[in-house]
Amino acid sequence: MGTGRRSLITAAVTVVCAVTVLAAPGTAFASPTPSPTPSATSTPASNKDLEAVRKKLDRLYHDAAVATDAYNSAEEKAEKQSAEIVALAKKIVKGKKKLDDLKKRAGAAAAAQYRSGGLPDEAQLLLSDDPQEFLDGAGRVIQGERATKGLLGELTRTQQDLEQYAKDASAQWEKLEAGRKTKAKAKAKIKKQIAAAKKLESELEAEEKERLAELERQAADKAQTAWLDSGILDEIDGKASAQGKKAVAYATAQLGKPYEWGAEGPDSFDCSGLTSQAWAAAGVPIPRTSQEQWKQLKRIGIEDMRPGDLIICNDDASHVAMYIGDGAIVQSPRPGRTVTVAGAGSMPILAVVRPDA
């Protein structure tokens, strides 16, 4: 591991079912009359069954969203750690050059002192043809000794700095390796949850899929109606800031683009990829993940919400959308869906945050 670190510093991711049909042998004296084959019709799922499917899909996609946030967080940290390692590597290269120069200067000072001889000052004074010249030289020697001490002190500090840079780079390397494992684990979970959701959806007939979509719309409409019936919209009259208008313009320009976990555009987005890129386009960098957006950005009361503010959804801050006014949001909802406009109250609101507070 040590060699790998040093080299990094110096060089600075169906089950298949077999069905056997057993045919009884026919009699030798007569051809049996074929029995009519019953039609293979499946019983359509009831609304109760489909509601259970809807809730299960919500759980699967929710878990995928949580894992996506973990993946994005690890990715963001990895970028910072990699940049830090590169910066440390540059410091080490610069420090080594400085150390070499200091060693040469220290060597030259030692050689000069050796050439001056090892006689005591009193003997040199007695043997000198010009005492004043000696005294002047003695003063220079004192200055030289002080300079040498300063040189040795700087050399020591430079060596200590190099050792610290190496330790810091080693620590960042270990964090980077840990982050890679976190990313791999999150990626595996995302794929597992999405695959399970797609399998569940694939088992539905076309008519059942239509009814399931209708149940999803009804659930969203019910939540939005309850939110509006609270009278909250009468209290929300905030006007978008100049930067907020730019963020909303960017986000709404992405309507129809597909959701893709880990994506930040320009062709696809996940939920926080859309909001972070929208605000980046407005000149305001914000955290990459919905959880960090919730943790780091200023909280705003719902009644004080204005276009451009971000609505953090679910108890675990696993989803984020952008408020665009008139009780509506723009969001990249989940796999299989596209960037769309929805009701601001259609999902459980955890908090509202403001990037340009």
Side-chain angles (χ1 to χ4, degrees):
M1 178 64 76
T3 302
R5 291 169 184 161
R6 285 194 296 272
S7 62
L8 172 68
I9 293 168
T10 57
V13 107
T14 104
V15 175
V16 178
C17 298
V19 179
T20 304
V21 180
L22 300 178
T27 59
F29 52 86
S31 298
T33 304
S35 300
T37 303
S39 60
T41 57
S42 58
T43 303
S46 66
N47 280 351
K48 183 178 180 180
D49 292 336
L50 286 175
E51 179 61 18
V53 170
R54 184 187 72 80
K55 290 182 178 179
K56 186 173 181 179
L57 284 171
D58 281 348
R59 286 195 300 272
L60 290 169
Y61 284 123
H62 169 267
D63 290 346
V66 173
T68 297
D69 228 32
Y71 178 91
N72 290 336
S73 179
E75 178 74 12
E76 186 175 36
K77 288 177 182 177
E79 290 177 357
K80 291 179 180 178
Q81 288 154 4
S82 296
E84 181 65 20
I85 289 172
V86 171
L88 286 166
K90 290 180 179 178
K91 286 183 178 180
I92 288 169
V93 170
K94 185 177 180 180
K96 283 186 174 180
K97 289 181 179 178
K98 181 179 180 181
L99 188 62
D100 289 341
D101 179 61
L102 289 170
K103 285 180 177 179
K104 288 178 182 178
R105 288 167 58 192
Q113 188 174 13
Y114 175 78
R115 287 194 299 271
S116 69
L119 293 174
D121 289 346
E122 295 84 351
Q124 291 188 45
L125 176 59
L126 291 171
L127 295 173
S128 175
D129 294 331
D130 187 345
Q132 184 61 46
E133 182 181 350
F134 168 78
L135 292 174
D136 292 342
R140 289 194 295 271
V141 168
I142 292 172
Q143 292 176 354
E145 287 177 350
R146 290 174 180 170
T148 300
K149 287 181 181 179
L151 180 65
L152 293 175
E154 188 175 2
L155 192 149
T156 300
R157 288 192 297 273
T158 302
Q159 287 178 320
Q160 291 172 343
D161 287 344
L162 280 171
E163 290 173 3
Q164 189 60 51
Y165 295 155
K167 288 179 182 178
D168 291 346
S170 177
Q172 291 295 339
W173 170 254
E174 290 176 358
K175 289 179 182 179
L176 188 61
E177 285 295 294
R180 284 174 179 164
K181 292 178 181 178
T182 300
K183 279 176 58 179
K185 185 177 180 181
K187 184 176 182 178
K189 185 173 183 179
I190 295 167
K191 289 187 174 183
K192 180 181 178 181
Q193 300 302 109
I194 293 177
K198 287 183 176 179
K199 183 177 184 299
L200 185 58
E201 291 176 314
S202 70
E203 293 170 352
L204 298 175
E205 299 293 335
E207 183 267 341
E208 291 172 331
K209 289 180 181 179
E210 291 178 2
R211 287 167 52 208
L212 176 63
E214 181 58 31
L215 286 175
E216 291 175 346
R217 284 192 293 270
Q218 289 175 2
D221 289 347
K222 182 178 179 181
Q224 176 71 355
T225 298
W227 187 69
L228 293 175
D229 286 349
S230 69
I232 188 64
L233 200 58
D234 295 333
E235 301 179 41
I236 302 174
D237 61 357
K239 305 298 180 183
S241 65
Q243 292 170 313
K245 289 178 181 178
K246 290 179 181 178
V248 169
Y250 179 95
T252 53
Q254 314 312 313
L255 290 171
K257 292 185 178 180
Y259 176 101
E260 181 181 358
W261 64 267
E264 301 176 79
D267 300 321
S268 57
F269 298 85
D270 61 20
C271 67
S272 57
L274 177 65
T275 54
S276 61
Q277 287 302 301
W279 274 101
V284 182
I286 64 173
R288 169 65 177 85
T289 69
S290 59
Q291 291 183 348
E292 289 304 312
Q293 290 171 7
W294 170 58
K295 290 176 184 177
Q296 296 185 35
L297 300 181
K298 184 177 179 180
R299 308 281 175 86
I300 299 296
I302 295 178
E303 67 279 3
D304 297 321
M305 190 163 56
R306 69 189 188 194
D309 289 345
L310 305 182
I311 297 180
I312 309 297
C313 305
N314 303 324
D315 291 340
D316 53 5
S318 56
H319 185 70
V320 61
M322 179 181 290
Y323 185 63
I324 58 175
D326 296 326
I329 56 172
V330 59
Q331 64 171 341
S332 186
R334 66 168 175 81
R337 301 293 170 82
T338 61
V339 176
T340 188
V341 172
S346 59
M347 296 183 69
I349 298 176
L350 174 63
V352 177
V353 295
R354 179 165 294 166
D356 61 338

